[in-house]
Amino acid sequence: MAPRRHLGQVQGLLGIDPEDAGVTRCCVPTGECLRAQQQLSPNNNDPMLIALDDLRDTVRVTCNNELCSSGRYMHRECFDQWEQTVLAYLKTCGRARSWSERQRHQNLWTKKGYDLAYKACGCKCGRGHLKKDLDWMPPPPTSNIFGRVEDISEAVAGKKKKRRNRNSRPTLAISAAHAVTNESRGRAGSLSSSTGSSSPPASGSEPSISPVHAHSKKKSKVENSDKSRVGGGANGIFTRRLDFSSFNALPKNKLNSYQIKTEDEGNHGNDDTRCFILSTLASQGRSKVHCVLCEETMPVFDRYPLVDGTFFLSPRQHAKGCIEVKVEGRTQFLTAVCMACLEGVNGRAIICRFCNQRWDGSSLVLGTMYSYDIFAAMPCCTERIKCNACYKPVLHPAQRLNFFSDYSHIVPCPHCHTFDTHFVKPLAYCYARQPLRSLQMWP
């Protein structure tokens, strides 16, 4: 009897495209596939092969070389290891050197980070660069090339069922028919995703009431999304989010857990940021907040994403609705901006009154909180870095501070020696509404 050959070897001899035969190869560009190194191969097949009918444990990437034939999928563990090498390269690039680890992880596959790191993403084809496909989600498994459906082991199935019961929450949806699932990320781009600096007060310094702990274990039927409330903690005043349909207005490439905060960072839902926001609002009896730019009312939800926009802390009270809080001994104001104003849609964009540059908040993570003033974090012109007392530049125009949060700190003016949060300006002083031809003062 002739010796048996692996499926991949037979395909190579016959010149068959692997994807035409229902399989493809792991396209990890650096080194060898981890499964090949560990000889992890089901059914004694080539360990680098990936069955196209079961892509649950894979990550899809795209190559900008249209003629690339190296493949589009990697085993998840191969992708994770390769991604770490790209992150290490990003750490040495330009402005990314001042980013925190979370910022680099958050920005890597977006234009902001990929434009810096693409040189480390060379494809096996030698003529293109790889990029993670953020729009792609693994389809459910179907019958394989032998007409058999792969079964999930009872242990894995039990684990997934247990996780669903513990974290029963809605999914990000592109449409009613196609849902994008929440992925549990080690990153959780949020408050400190924005910065490697200060974080919100821990549960010991502020009353930290978690809706998760006080919520009854018995599931209740929810009849109306606007009337469904949390039954326990934070006075039970916050809405339970039933779906993510409000985020369908975003571009599809932003419907992922890098752009929208979906998971707690603490154990058992005990997330410091979420507890801080909910307990602060509950103490004021507020279940809704107003956008500081357009004054639109936004309901606050008991789980991430907490709001259809984002919160931030500022040393300046930009509007009457901003709530005064104490953070690390400093007086700050909890402020909110809606998703439409962050994206600058429907004429809600604002521009600098001095240089006519548009303020862009589209890169900020939705549904969480930043620990600094997001309007002061990226000064666009010299007027934005002038002293609040003598109106002389506090910094050289070409100088930049190390962290976004540094622009919200109290610093001395080198000319008049006045200590103040010089970079945090009133919104009415800095910005005007679009269109450019007929500038209107804000608000």
Side-chain angles (χ1 to χ4, degrees):
M1 180 182 294
R4 297 180 63 184
R5 296 181 183 272
H6 291 318
L7 179 59
Q9 293 174 319
V10 174
Q11 291 166 349
L13 291 173
L14 299 179
I16 299 174
D17 184 348
E19 296 199 12
D20 291 339
V23 294
T24 186
R25 280 177 170 269
C26 178
C27 65
V28 59
T30 55
E32 190 177 11
C33 169
L34 290 179
R35 295 196 180 184
Q37 294 176 12
Q38 301 168 10
Q39 293 300 310
L40 297 178
S41 174
N43 303 322
N44 295 320
N45 288 332
D46 184 341
M48 290 186 68
L49 289 181
I50 296 174
L52 295 176
D53 59 5
D54 188 0
L55 298 172
R56 289 169 296 177
D57 197 28
T58 62
V59 176
R60 178 170 174 169
V61 293
T62 58
C63 178
N64 57 6
N65 173 23
E66 296 181 354
L67 301 179
C68 176
S69 59
S70 298
R72 294 175 292 172
Y73 300 96
M74 295 185 205
H75 297 113
R76 181 166 294 280
E77 62 268 32
C78 297
F79 175 83
D80 290 343
Q81 185 182 74
W82 173 66
E83 185 181 49
Q84 289 304 314
T85 66
V86 182
L87 285 168
Y89 176 82
L90 180 62
K91 192 174 183 178
T92 67
C93 298
R95 61 179 179 274
R97 288 195 291 268
S98 64
W99 294 350
S100 66
E101 290 297 327
R102 285 180 177 174
Q103 282 180 289
R104 282 189 283 269
H105 208 291
Q106 170 192 330
N107 296 332
L108 177 58
W109 301 116
T110 66
K111 179 176 175 60
K112 189 174 182 180
Y114 186 73
D115 284 351
L116 299 174
Y118 77 94
K119 290 183 180 179
C121 302
C123 180
K124 270 187 174 181
C125 69
R127 296 184 179 181
H129 296 88
L130 296 177
K131 184 179 182 181
K132 182 180 180 181
D133 188 347
L134 296 178
D135 296 334
W136 182 81
M137 293 300 298
T142 57
S143 59
N144 60 19
I145 56 177
F146 300 104
R148 177 169 55 86
V149 177
E150 298 291 342
D151 296 326
I152 304 176
S153 67
E154 293 181 2
V156 175
K159 183 177 179 181
K160 289 188 175 182
K161 182 177 180 181
K162 184 177 180 180
R163 184 165 64 247
R164 284 197 300 270
N165 291 337
R166 185 172 68 249
N167 294 326
S168 56
R169 58 185 67 189
T171 57
L172 296 175
I174 296 176
S175 65
H178 297 85
V180 180
T181 59
N182 291 328
E183 296 180 13
S184 177
R185 307 280 187 186
R187 159 226 76 90
S190 60
L191 158 104
S192 313
S193 74
S194 49
T195 170
S197 56
S198 62
S199 31
S203 55
S205 59
E206 289 284 341
S208 177
I209 306 174
S210 172
V212 176
H213 291 157
H215 184 58
S216 172
K217 292 182 180 180
K218 184 177 180 180
K219 295 183 179 179
S220 60
K221 295 182 179 180
V222 182
E223 298 180 359
N224 189 299
S225 62
D226 293 331
K227 296 181 180 180
S228 60
R229 303 292 177 182
V230 184
N235 297 337
I237 65 175
F238 300 108
T239 302
R240 171 60 53 85
R241 189 187 290 272
L242 300 183
D243 58 56
F244 289 91
S245 59
S246 60
F247 295 103
N248 284 345
L250 293 172
K252 290 184 179 180
N253 67 324
K254 291 190 177 183
L255 294 176
N256 57 72
S257 57
Y258 286 101
Q259 300 292 139
I260 303 172
K261 174 76 169 175
T262 59
E263 296 289 338
D264 282 334
E265 292 184 22
N267 295 326
H268 309 296
N270 203 14
D271 185 286
D272 286 342
T273 304
R274 183 171 65 83
C275 292
F276 168 69
I277 294 173
L278 297 184
S279 61
T280 298
L281 294 173
S283 67
Q284 299 283 327
R286 299 190 188 185
S287 62
K288 297 180 180 180
V289 292
H290 297 278
C291 173
V292 71
L293 296 181
C294 68
E295 300 183 355
E296 179 178 332
T297 301
M298 297 181 288
V300 178
F301 299 92
D302 67 312
R303 303 273 181 91
Y304 286 120
L306 298 176
V307 70
D308 293 346
T310 197
F311 289 100
F312 68 93
L313 295 175
S314 173
R316 181 181 292 275
Q317 188 175 21
H318 290 299
K320 292 182 179 179
C322 301
I323 303 174
E324 181 177 340
V325 295
K326 287 286 185 180
V327 180
E328 298 178 353
R330 294 190 301 155
T331 299
Q332 302 270 52
F333 293 90
L334 182 62
T335 313
V337 184
C338 73
M339 181 170 61
C341 288
L342 290 172
E343 296 289 326
V345 299
N346 299 328
R348 299 195 185 187
I350 59 174
I351 64 164
C352 175
R353 293 179 56 242
F354 307 104
C355 67
N356 288 340
Q357 183 170 327
R358 174 176 165 176
W359 181 79
D360 183 11
S362 61
S363 62
L364 298 178
V365 179
L366 298 175
T368 183
M369 183 183 80
Y370 286 84
S371 62
Y372 55 81
D373 191 302
I374 58 177
F375 295 100
M378 293 175 283
C380 53
C381 61
T382 306
E383 293 292 330
R384 302 294 302 280
I385 58 175
K386 287 184 176 181
C387 171
N388 289 336
C390 67
Y391 302 104
K392 294 181 180 179
V394 177
L395 299 175
H396 186 277
Q399 183 181 355
R400 287 293 179 266
L401 301 180
N402 291 330
F403 300 102
F404 292 140
S405 59
D406 290 343
Y407 291 95
S408 295
H409 292 165
I410 295 176
V411 295
C413 172
H415 306 285
C416 67
H417 308 293
T418 301
F419 281 81
D420 197 358
T421 53
H422 295 293
F423 309 114
V424 182
K425 310 290 187 185
L427 296 182
Y429 173 78
C430 296
Y431 296 111
R433 295 179 186 270
Q434 283 187 325
L436 298 178
R437 294 180 181 178
S438 56
L439 299 183
Q440 302 174 4
M441 292 298 293
W442 192 277

